[in-house]
Amino acid sequence: MATKGLRGFFRGARSESQPPPPVSPSVASSVPPTAQTEGPISVPLSADLAAEMDARREWVWTSVSADAPLDRSDNRTALSVIAALVAEVRPDETWKLQSLGIVFGDVLARVTGAEWVQVDDELGSDPALRFGGPDDLAFPMTMISKRMEAGEDVDVLELFRDVATALGEAQAQAQAQ
């Protein structure tokens, strides 16, 4: 499953046949024209993109009912919430699925030490996790949505294990070089 499970995680996996997720117009307009033609550029998150990601996180966390407040920083809780919502969200509800991907990315960031960055390229601006050098990027926002839109069953825990393992191996390889 390693090869199939990693499909679409790293930079270069996006293509015009699979357009980038919607980004607010203010984020898209903040990309300099040269960034649109020179290839991907990884920069700190813009305020607009960070706010959009926060809105997506808030949707995820308020979409589940719980008897007590949920610990948003607990990885097991986050993965359980994602799994519960994956079972409820339809494959055509891209915004919701990508919102789950943001929270999924938050867990990956906590576990691997990766950081959220903004990637600007000819396809637009997207949030990504940088887990090593400037070119070591993963795009968790679309990890769930692409699979569900393709008709695949998504096992959130299995996907998390596969991605966290791949990121850890890539980090170790980068450090060894």
Side-chain angles (χ1 to χ4, degrees):
M1 165 97 182
T3 304
K4 181 180 178 193
L6 297 177
R7 181 185 68 230
F9 291 173
F10 302 104
R11 194 192 76 206
R14 292 187 336 183
S15 69
E16 291 186 46
S17 65
Q18 292 187 342
V23 177
S24 67
S26 59
V27 171
S29 66
S30 69
V31 178
T34 56
Q36 304 271 341
T37 57
E38 292 178 0
I41 298 173
S42 167
V43 297
L45 291 173
S46 69
D48 288 340
L49 185 54
E52 183 175 324
M53 291 170 65
D54 285 343
R56 289 172 178 269
R57 289 178 181 106
E58 190 62 24
W59 175 82
V60 170
W61 289 104
T62 59
S63 293
V64 293
S65 59
D67 295 333
L70 298 173
D71 181 356
R72 296 178 183 202
S73 64
D74 181 74
N75 296 336
R76 288 182 182 170
T77 300
L79 293 173
S80 295
V81 165
I82 295 166
L85 291 173
V86 159
E88 301 294 323
V89 177
R90 294 187 322 266
D92 65 337
E93 294 180 296
T94 303
W95 189 91
K96 292 178 180 180
L97 293 171
Q98 290 178 351
S99 297
L100 297 174
I102 294 295
V103 175
F104 187 80
D106 290 342
V107 176
L108 286 170
R110 285 192 295 268
V111 169
T112 66
E115 67 174 326
W116 282 108
V117 295
Q118 178 174 318
V119 175
D120 301 325
D121 64 13
E122 68 278 357
L123 298 175
S125 297
D126 293 308
L129 288 178
R130 182 171 43 212
F131 55 90
D135 294 332
D136 297 328
L137 302 168
F139 295 87
M141 186 169 91
T142 58
M143 288 180 185
I144 296 170
S145 64
K146 283 183 179 181
R147 284 163 177 72
M148 289 192 62
E149 290 166 356
E152 295 178 30
D153 290 329
V154 175
D155 180 324
V156 173
L157 294 178
E158 180 180 354
L159 180 62
F160 175 77
R161 281 190 298 269
D162 289 348
V163 176
T165 299
L167 292 179
E169 289 171 358
Q171 286 172 322
Q173 184 178 18
Q175 290 173 353
Q177 292 178 351

